[in-house]
Amino acid sequence: MSSNKETPIKTIGFVFLVCLVCAALVSVAAISLKPLQQANKLLDKQTKILEASGLLELALKPENIKASGSGPKSIVATFEKYVEAKMIDLDSGKIIEGNTDIFDERADARNAAKSSKLTNDTAGINRRANRAVVYLVNNEQGQLNTLVLPIVGSGLWDLMYGYIGLAPDLNTVRSLIYSDLKETPGLGAEVLNPKWKALWPGKKIYNDSDEVAIKVIKGGAKAGDVHGVDALSGATLTSNGVQNTLHFWLGEQGYGPFITKYRSVASEGEMN
C-alpha cells in the first residue's frame, strides 16, 4: 500500500509557484509590449490630429500609402511633415520646453504639483494641468493652416476626449473631433456621427467682445447663427457637456491666454 505524499504545504507551495511563474510571464509581456502600446497610442493621437486638421484623407491617399509603405507610416510621415507640437504654459500662454510625445494632461492633472484646483470647473474635470500641448498644422509654404487643441470634459457617463481645429484667425472652427468616450449609443455617442460633426466647420468661437460665444442649442440653431450648433437629439447632458468643455478650454482657464497672445501673429501665418 503506497503512502499519500500530498500535504497541504506541498499543495500551497505548488499553487504559489504557479502564481509566481504566471506573474513573471505577465510582467515580461507587459514590459515587452509597452513600446508597442505607446507607439499605437501615439499613432492614434496623430491620426485624430490629422483628422481635425483635414489632412487625414491626404495621408491615406493610395499613392502616399504606397510611397510610405503602409497606412500607419503614411500617417506618421504626413504628421511629421505638416504638424508642429508645442508645449505651452496655460496660465501665461507662453511656449515652454517639454516632451510633447509623451505628455498626458490627465496624468499631470492628478499631480498636485503639476496642476491647479479649479474654482469654476465648468468642464467637470476637477483639476487642470498647468501645461498643455497645442498642434500647429502648416501648409506647404510653412504657414499656419489649422491650430488643433486637445479638449477634455464631462459627458453623461464619463470624461470625453477630443480635439478642436481652428482656422488661422483662431476663431473659426474647422472641426470638432471626439474619440475616447462612453456615451450612450444612438444618443450621446452621436458626437461621433459625421452628420453632426459636419455642423461645426465655419462656426465662430468668440463674439465681437472676445467672449466665448459658441453654443449647442436644444431644438436646433437658427439659420445664420454663426455661434450656434444643433444639440444632439435626446442627449441634453452630453450636448451641455460639449458646450461647457468648449467654454472652459477656449476661455481664460484654458487656451484663452495662448489664443489672445498669438492671434494677431497667427493670422499672418507667423505663429511658428
Side-chain angles (χ1 to χ4, degrees):
M1 186 175 178
S2 60
S3 60
N4 186 356
K5 296 182 179 180
E6 294 293 333
T7 66
I9 294 177
K10 287 184 177 181
T11 301
I12 293 173
F14 176 77
V15 171
F16 177 77
L17 180 61
V18 171
C19 291
L20 187 63
V21 171
C22 291
L25 290 174
V26 170
S27 297
V28 170
I31 293 172
S32 61
L33 290 175
K34 188 173 182 180
L36 179 60
Q37 292 170 339
Q38 291 177 333
N40 287 337
K41 185 176 181 179
L42 180 59
L43 177 64
D44 180 69
K45 179 170 69 174
Q46 292 173 337
T47 300
K48 291 295 188 296
I49 292 167
L50 291 181
E51 182 182 359
S53 65
L55 289 179
L56 186 57
E57 289 185 4
L58 174 66
L60 296 179
K61 281 187 174 182
E63 57 268 30
N64 290 332
I65 293 177
K66 184 177 180 180
S68 300
S70 69
K73 289 182 180 179
S74 182
I75 288 172
V76 172
T78 303
F79 184 91
E80 291 178 347
K81 179 178 180 180
Y82 294 103
V83 182
E84 290 184 82
K86 301 288 187 181
M87 184 83 73
I88 67 168
D89 175 79
L90 284 168
D91 290 330
S92 67
K94 294 180 179 180
I95 294 174
I96 59 177
E97 294 296 323
N99 190 330
T100 58
D101 286 341
I102 64 173
F103 176 74
D104 184 338
E105 191 274 338
R106 286 291 83 196
D108 268 28
R110 290 188 289 270
N111 186 330
K114 298 180 179 181
S115 64
S116 303
K117 180 69 175 177
L118 299 171
T119 55
N120 185 22
D121 185 17
T122 56
I125 57 175
N126 189 30
R127 300 187 69 90
R128 186 220 67 189
N130 295 329
R131 304 176 297 166
V133 178
V134 300
Y135 299 91
L136 284 59
V137 186
N138 301 318
N139 57 24
E140 290 285 355
Q141 291 72 44
Q143 298 172 323
L144 183 70
N145 182 65
T146 307
L147 175 68
V148 178
L149 304 172
I151 57 174
V152 55
S154 291
L156 174 59
W157 303 111
D158 204 347
L159 293 178
M160 300 191 300
Y161 296 84
Y163 297 90
I164 185 167
L166 301 179
D169 62 0
L170 303 190
N171 186 22
T172 305
V173 178
R174 287 206 188 278
S175 62
L176 179 66
I177 306 295
Y178 272 99
S179 52
D180 302 325
L181 52 83
K182 300 177 182 178
E183 299 303 284
T184 306
L187 296 174
E190 288 297 289
V191 295
L192 304 177
N193 191 319
K195 291 183 179 179
W196 191 72
K197 292 193 291 185
L199 300 176
W200 288 88
K203 297 298 180 179
K204 303 293 184 180
I205 297 296
Y206 303 99
N207 59 22
D208 292 339
S209 300
D210 282 337
E211 301 167 327
V212 180
I214 194 76
K215 52 188 180 293
V216 182
I217 302 174
K218 186 176 181 179
K222 295 181 179 180
D225 186 349
V226 297
H227 302 297
V229 176
D230 296 354
L232 297 164
S233 179
T236 301
L237 293 179
T238 302
S239 298
N240 290 343
V242 172
Q243 176 175 300
N244 292 338
T245 296
L246 293 177
H247 275 246
F248 174 84
W249 283 107
L250 295 165
E252 287 304 307
Q253 293 191 97
Y255 299 109
F258 174 78
I259 290 173
T260 299
K261 187 175 184 63
Y262 288 98
R263 181 183 288 168
S264 60
V265 290
S267 66
E268 299 172 0
E270 299 175 357
M271 192 169 176
N272 304 321

